[in-house]
Amino acid sequence: MSTEKPAKEALFSKKNRSLLTDPLNANNPITVQVLGICSALAITVKLKPAIVMGLSVLVVTTMANLITSLMRNMIPNRIRIIVQLVVVAALVILVDQVLKAFVYDVSKQLSVFVGLIITNCIIMGRIEAFSLGNTPWKSVLDGLGNGAAYGGILIIVAFFRELLGNGTLMDYPVVEWMGLYDLGYKNNGMMLLPPMALIVVALIIWVQRAKTPSLIEKD
Amino acid sequence: MQEILNIFVKSIFIDNMIFAYFLGMCSYLAVSKTVKTAMGLGLAVTFVLTITLPVNYLLETKVLRQGALAWLDPSLAELDLSFLSFIMFIAVIAAMVQLVEMVVEKFAPALYSALGIFLPLIAVNCSILGGSLFMQERAYENIGQATVFGLGSGIGWLLAIVAIAAIRERLKYSHVPAPLRGLGITFIITGLMGIAFMSFMGIKL
């Protein structure tokens, strides 16, 4: 927080900070708002693609929030979905080209899922719900918070799937290094199958809601 | 013919949009509380997938792919526009959804009022864009295969959402641990259904 007391709201006032931190727990885009699961879970088999995907979504959410917030008074209400789609699609093309240029092998692993960031519900959801009605700086914070929360869940899921399913982390053979195979430990190949991603997310939801009872759904 | 049948069965059961790729999960989770609405959304998705895939297939093979523009002029044979495919596909999808909405409203008002609110939302359903991107990646040989792939993916999605909606209707009467209620248990059931669907893997006609 800045030390002097400006007439306007400080850059990191309490309200602005909560924009950044709320999505991390109480308003998590994946486990509470249920957005953006679409393009996410299929790439959580390994940690590395998950980190790259998380970063890509973070960049796109933040930039899309910023751009639409800057344009929010110019976009006619009736065609706003198309305008949002074009902004997001342009950003995703940029991200895709950057990934192809610098991390080609990861980009191959992500295959269609980079393109699917366009229809990722988090991005459209945040634009619709937040950046069309708020100032650019707040929108950037909101984008950062939601992108980071999304990436966080991806990384947690990928961590468990790679560790338990493959015995590695970032392709580094952790389990072998600990010598567990000599004690009769076996990798659980089932963790590598797509359905296990859903079950790991369900377990994360379980833990989170057990710790934060206010999130429990009423019937 | 056999190839087409193979693609059809594969896209419904083995490469199921929900269970194998998690596409369209947002609407799958949000609109699966009753079987009736789930059926409506599933039909709309199937419909839109079946008509957008052939259009995007033509776009891909006649405009975007490297050398695809050679039919227009031999000097364009070197051109590779595939970096534009995301924005072109999504534009086609949004336009088609709008068109379908108008046509359905004009000629089938009953269907329109049944699908009503879901149609515009489909433009941002991941499974639609996913279908086009998979079509591009797998490079189907002709427009028939692409269309059948779209139809099959749609039916697979419909199957998944109707099944989960039916289970969720029954789930109301069961005793779920409080923190898992609602979202959590739906995820777990989807995972279990996905494991069941994996038994189709390896089937080849």
Side-chain angles (χ1 to χ4, degrees):
Chain A
M1 219 194 284
S2 55
T3 43
E4 79 260 68
K5 212 164 180 312
K8 279 199 305 183
E9 207 176 352
L11 275 187
F12 284 101
S13 65
K14 203 168 175 203
K15 228 166 93 201
N16 282 349
R17 256 183 306 156
S18 74
L19 286 176
L20 201 59
T21 53
D22 259 8
L24 295 177
N25 182 28
N27 212 0
N28 189 291
I30 290 189
T31 62
V32 181
Q33 305 174 49
V34 213
L35 295 174
I37 298 147
C38 321
S39 58
L41 296 181
I43 47 88
T44 51
V45 178
K46 287 252 169 96
L47 202 49
K48 201 171 156 197
I51 293 174
V52 173
M53 182 73 175
L55 281 178
S56 313
V57 172
L58 179 71
V59 171
V60 175
T61 338
T62 313
M63 292 302 292
N65 257 6
L66 174 66
I67 294 173
T68 47
S69 174
L70 287 171
M71 300 197 302
R72 69 185 186 282
N73 295 327
M74 289 183 274
I75 305 175
N77 201 30
R78 283 186 61 104
I79 57 159
R80 65 179 196 285
I81 302 265
I82 293 277
V83 175
Q84 292 161 13
L85 276 178
V86 171
V87 169
V88 177
L91 287 168
V92 171
I93 290 176
L94 283 180
V95 167
D96 183 45
Q97 299 292 325
V98 169
L99 289 184
K100 272 191 185 141
F102 292 104
V103 278
Y104 189 73
D105 54 325
V106 179
S107 157
K108 268 273 157 281
Q109 281 176 30
L110 293 175
S111 71
V112 301
F113 292 97
V114 181
L116 285 171
I117 298 177
I118 298 176
T119 46
N120 191 322
C121 323
I122 288 183
I123 298 173
M124 292 298 277
R126 288 333 289 171
I127 294 176
E128 275 284 298
F130 197 87
S131 73
L132 283 181
N134 283 287
T135 52
W137 173 242
K138 281 185 179 168
S139 305
V140 167
L141 289 179
D142 184 74
L144 277 176
N146 280 285
Y150 173 90
I153 298 281
L154 278 197
I155 289 167
I156 295 173
V157 176
F159 175 83
F160 285 114
R161 284 183 79 190
E162 188 176 352
L163 183 66
L164 299 177
N166 216 9
T168 58
L169 281 178
M170 302 285 285
D171 292 329
Y172 183 78
V174 185
V175 174
E176 200 188 325
W177 172 70
M178 288 196 293
L180 287 177
Y181 289 127
D182 301 334
L183 302 173
Y185 175 84
K186 286 257 189 311
N187 286 331
N188 181 0
M190 199 164 131
M191 293 302 286
L192 299 176
L193 301 178
M196 287 314 285
L198 291 168
I199 293 179
V200 174
V201 173
L203 295 179
I204 295 175
I205 292 175
W206 194 355
V207 170
Q208 190 196 13
R209 293 195 178 177
K211 284 194 153 184
T212 326
S214 61
L215 294 175
I216 292 175
E217 286 176 43
K218 318 253 172 340
D219 285 319
Chain B
M1 192 60 216
Q2 201 179 9
E3 180 65 12
I4 293 226
L5 208 63
N6 204 4
I7 291 176
F8 186 65
V9 172
K10 219 175 150 199
S11 57
I12 295 182
F13 294 110
I14 301 161
D15 290 341
N16 187 292
M17 281 282 180
I18 296 269
F19 298 131
Y21 299 108
F22 315 106
L23 296 182
M25 282 298 279
C26 306
S27 23
Y28 169 85
L29 291 169
V31 194
S32 62
K33 290 210 171 87
T34 57
V35 172
K36 205 167 158 250
T37 48
M39 196 77 183
L41 183 68
L43 286 175
V45 166
T46 312
F47 191 46
V48 173
L49 260 174
T50 319
I51 54 168
T52 51
L53 268 194
V55 177
N56 276 344
Y57 181 82
L58 287 179
L59 194 69
E60 159 77 5
T61 48
K62 301 288 178 215
V63 181
L64 295 173
R65 197 181 282 173
Q66 181 167 19
L69 275 174
W71 60 275
L72 204 63
D73 191 284
S75 63
L76 295 173
E78 289 291 296
L79 209 57
D80 182 6
L81 291 178
S82 52
F83 69 95
L84 281 177
S85 51
F86 294 161
I87 209 161
M88 294 302 281
F89 286 168
I90 199 76
V92 165
I93 289 168
M96 290 303 279
V97 168
Q98 201 90 66
L99 204 68
V100 167
E101 202 186 341
M102 287 193 287
V103 171
V104 171
E105 189 181 10
K106 182 97 171 67
F107 295 106
L111 183 65
Y112 180 76
S113 57
L115 299 182
I117 45 168
F118 300 125
L119 266 178
L121 286 178
I122 285 178
V124 285
N125 188 319
C126 319
S127 58
I128 311 284
L129 182 64
S132 290
L133 293 177
F134 278 127
M135 175 270 292
Q136 183 189 35
E137 195 189 62
R138 292 176 193 165
Y140 286 116
E141 281 158 31
N142 53 47
I143 194 165
Q145 291 187 0
T147 317
V148 166
F149 171 68
L151 180 66
S153 305
I155 294 177
W157 203 87
L158 171 81
L159 211 66
I161 194 172
V162 171
I164 193 78
I167 293 178
R168 281 181 84 172
E169 277 190 0
R170 287 303 179 91
L171 212 58
K172 272 184 212 140
Y173 308 109
S174 58
H175 211 72
V176 182
L180 273 179
R181 218 173 281 154
L183 192 58
I185 196 73
T186 313
F187 269 105
I188 290 184
I189 290 171
T190 311
L192 295 178
M193 282 162 75
I195 292 175
F197 263 65
M198 299 208 75
S199 58
F200 289 109
M201 215 177 245
I203 291 179
K204 203 164 162 58
L205 287 176

